Amino acid sequence: MTPSQTLYLLLDLALILGLARLLGAAARALGQPAVIGEILAGVLLGPTLLGAHFADTLFPADVRPLLSALAGVGLALFMFAVGLEIDLGVLRGGGRVTLWATTFSTVLPLGLGAGLAWLLADTHRQGPLLAFVLFFAVAMAATAFPVLARIIADRGLTRTRLGTTALTCAAITDLLVWILLAVAAAVATGEDLDWRLVLLVPYVVLMITVVRPLLRKAGGLSGRKRKRGTGFTASGASDASGASDASGASDASGASGESTNLVVLVLAGLLLSSACTEWLGLHYIFGAFLFGAIIPRDGHTALREGALQRMEPLSRLLLLPVYFVLAGLKVDLSELDLTDLGTLAAILVVAMAGKLLGTYVGARLGGFGRRPAAALGALLNTRGLTELVVLGIGLELGLLDGTLYSLMVVMAVATTALTGPLLTRILPTTGKNGAPAEQPAPTTPGAQEASPREAVPATDK
């Protein structure tokens, strides 16, 4: 790396960090997710407003690959966190409303997206037709689980039936989206890698039957060592002798070392899993997602807590903003014509109709009242970062041209930004946090089905 590259890399990182943080805070002040401001930071620095020459000056061509490498690491860490947060146990006992809402909120956007893709294929298709149609349909069905979780927490919906149903539906939808996206990626890569894809099933089986038990053992062993270290530290602190204090400090240091070793183990496994799926002909994010999904949940918190506490700050504060800004730099809205604006309108209508209408119908069939069903549709219409990741993969695979990519990014930002206003209009609120007049979500399996409308306002039925 030349001195000029080093200089620009450091300056660009400082610029990205500062601007993304500033606009993210501005978005939060307006009641919007921070991801919207961070995406807009990239758009502002890109060719849309200031022209391609300005963007090329700020981010020279020989520096962008370095930024892309950092963004790739951040994306892998993010997908690992997504897999870590998705509880595969939600597939069991989600309740009737979850089943119907998930089905309709996924199938209808997939169908409408596939139909629109056929209409756009002549003017925007890149790569194989089947891969293009499947990818576009998947992009319409995506829901941003991490952004949705933050919106639900901010609005005090975490312990309500609406909030838990939305998170469960989003988790299942995201799982289906990543599976279908993997299929689209496999179709798009061509025939020369087909023989490697045969190894995908054994790889998944190996991760579940071998790697997961090993991680469980490692987490249990680390947890026991940390408990012993904590016990010795307490005794050392209560003892007046210097030797005892030294022993306690030593044990505390040992416990910290065990925690660090565990994080290193998880990080190495994450990178190896990402490399494996990349070699298999899929995108590396699928390996990161799978590794996060197999991290044990049953009583072994050391793995999960250590991984999130140590890796998430670096990813969230620096690496992901780099990804956002690079994504925004690829957006160019300066040369859109009337045809492109018509395409944008069609994309927005299909995206919103698929999610809002599909979720509403499914939730009503599952037993929700009118207002909660509409609110659930507004929540699942959130696309945010997940959509941006999907679009970035489509661009890398050569399935999207620059114009369609730009239009889809606009759709992702618009649908995410509308979530808050739609919820405010749909749900009656009480209290300081603006939480809806709902009872807490049932805590026992099957309780949702026993009385499907007991947790919604009577006026909404």
Side-chain angles (χ1 to χ4, degrees), residues 9 12 16 34 43 53 152 155 190 230-231 233-234 245 306 309 364 397 424 435:
L9 176 62
D12 287 343
I16 290 171
V43 175
H53 178 72
I152 287 174
R155 289 188 169 257
T230 301
T233 302
D245 289 341
Q309 292 175 0
R364 290 290 284 163
L397 295 174
T424 300

Side-chain angles (χ1 to χ4, degrees), residues 222-449:
S222 176
R224 288 192 295 270
K225 288 186 176 181
R226 290 176 67 185
K227 287 181 180 179
R228 288 199 299 267
T230 301
F232 282 125
T233 302
S235 66
S238 61
D239 197 327
S241 67
S244 181
D245 289 341
S247 175
S250 176
D251 290 325
S253 176
S256 176
E258 285 297 325
S259 177
T260 301
N261 291 338
L262 202 60
V263 173
V264 171
L265 173 65
V266 171
L267 184 57
L270 154 68
L271 297 176
L272 288 174
S273 181
S274 301
C276 285
T277 53
E278 184 74 22
W279 180 80
L280 288 174
L282 300 177
H283 202 278
Y284 63 87
I285 68 166
F286 300 113
F289 175 82
L290 177 61
F291 193 78
I294 68 166
I295 295 293
R297 289 176 169 269
D298 45 354
H300 297 87
T301 60
L303 281 169
R304 292 171 48 78
E305 293 178 356
L308 287 175
Q309 292 175 0
R310 298 291 185 92
M311 292 189 285
E312 190 176 24
L314 174 63
S315 173
R316 185 67 190 130
L317 294 177
L318 178 61
L319 299 181
L320 274 182
V322 173
Y323 183 84
F324 294 145
V325 170
L326 290 181
L329 288 175
K330 300 170 186 174
V331 174
D332 188 358
L333 305 175
S334 61
E335 298 182 359
L336 297 184
D337 54 25
L338 290 178
T339 301
D340 296 327
L341 293 178
T343 301
L344 175 60
I347 290 173
L348 288 171
V349 169
V350 168
M352 296 185 66
K355 280 294 182 183
L356 295 176
L357 182 60
T359 305
Y360 181 83
V361 172
R364 290 290 284 163
L365 289 174
F368 262 18
R370 290 188 298 272
R371 283 185 183 273
L376 183 62
L379 287 169
L380 296 185
N381 193 45
T382 303
R383 286 178 170 85
L385 179 54
T386 300
E387 183 73 18
L388 209 63
V389 173
V390 172
L391 296 178
I393 294 174
L395 202 61
E396 288 183 27
L397 295 174
L399 297 176
L400 293 177
D401 61 20
T403 299
L404 189 57
Y405 171 82
S406 299
L407 298 179
M408 293 292 285
V409 170
V410 173
M411 180 272 291
V413 173
T415 53
T416 304
L418 283 173
T419 300
L422 284 175
L423 282 177
T424 300
R425 184 172 182 81
I426 293 170
L427 289 179
T429 58
T430 58
K432 297 179 180 180
N433 296 329
E438 293 190 12
Q439 298 174 6
T443 56
T444 58
Q448 293 183 4
E449 293 187 27

